[in-house]
Amino acid sequence: MASSLILASGSSARRALLEASGVAHRCHPVALDEERVRLACQARGETLRETALVLAEEKARLACAQLPAGTLVIGADQILDLDGEAFAKPTSLSEVRTQLERLRGKTHILQTAVVLMRDGRRVWHEVAAPRLTMRAFSDAFLDAYIAQEGDALFSCVGAYRLEGLGVQLFAVLDGAHDAVLGLPRLGLMEALRQEGVLLP
């Protein structure tokens, strides 16, 4: 039964978390116009927490439409929330620097949504909200960090990978580490047991 579990994401971090948890799955990334969805959520007055959940659902729904009936799909999304402002993935090294300078010395939230969906119907969801406080790192550290991480930062909201050198940016992390990486697992594991994918 586990072979029919699909992760509607190309995220290497989410894939690694599932693999480390012993959860058999296949990846089926989808092409969602995330900016369009974000703008629609903003127009409806939805919070960033609600927006992350909508994005996760839309990814799962797209995958469901492309897969055989009955397939169980995991959809996930994450939004960096700095006092109600969303940060997108940086597209240039100058944008990396700007984002990190704005986050330096401050606390932000990672609105981390995950859903399970079958046949276009949500069967379970969770939104975790770990809080991360960046230390007041020096400009010299920032220069060295950007030089070492380089283009890898373009795939990271907030321009950091906590599983790598990015951990040195932080002073405090309040929340589950796997939620920071994009997939809160404990609730998901229980939902997979309820769905018969994992042994109870």
Side-chain angles (χ1 to χ4, degrees):
M1 201 167 180
S3 62
S4 65
L5 181 66
I6 296 295
L7 175 63
S9 171
S11 164
S12 58
R14 292 187 182 108
R15 185 170 65 247
L17 286 169
L18 286 177
E19 288 171 355
S21 304
V23 178
H25 66 284
R26 291 185 294 113
C27 291
H28 184 86
V30 294
L32 177 67
D33 185 347
E34 296 187 26
E35 185 62 18
R36 176 189 59 79
V37 175
R38 282 195 196 95
L39 289 173
C41 289
Q42 186 177 10
R44 294 193 297 265
E46 293 178 342
T47 65
L48 294 181
R49 180 183 182 91
E50 292 165 336
T51 301
L53 182 57
V54 170
L55 284 162
E57 287 182 337
E58 288 301 313
K59 290 176 181 178
R61 188 169 286 110
L62 267 178
C64 283
Q66 299 167 4
L67 295 164
T71 303
L72 191 62
V73 175
I74 301 170
D77 197 80
Q78 191 172 54
I79 296 177
L80 191 156
D81 180 350
L82 178 66
D83 299 326
E85 179 186 352
F87 278 44
K89 292 175 182 175
T91 57
S92 67
L93 291 179
S94 63
E95 196 174 340
V96 165
R97 179 177 296 278
T98 297
Q99 287 195 6
L100 290 172
E101 286 174 344
R102 291 196 59 207
L103 293 168
R104 177 166 48 187
K106 297 177 182 174
T107 298
H108 64 269
I109 297 171
L110 289 176
Q111 305 289 359
T112 307
V114 58
V115 303
L116 276 180
M117 191 170 283
R118 181 183 278 115
D119 299 327
R121 183 181 64 84
R122 188 177 76 191
V123 296
W124 172 86
H125 75 281
E126 178 181 336
V127 183
R131 299 172 62 86
L132 296 86
T133 302
M134 280 196 181
R135 65 186 182 87
F137 47 80
S138 67
D139 287 341
F141 175 82
L142 181 57
D143 291 340
Y145 170 77
I146 292 173
Q148 185 166 335
E149 291 287 272
D151 292 352
L153 299 176
F154 299 155
S155 64
C156 312
V157 169
Y160 61 82
R161 295 180 303 131
L162 204 70
E163 64 273 31
L165 183 62
V167 72
Q168 292 191 35
L169 294 166
F170 291 91
V172 178
L173 191 166
D174 182 12
H177 187 256
D178 54 8
V180 173
L181 297 182
L183 194 71
R185 286 179 290 178
L186 292 184
L188 177 60
M189 298 299 111
E190 178 57 26
L192 291 175
R193 285 189 285 271
Q194 295 292 326
E195 293 298 318
V197 174
L198 300 179
L199 291 171

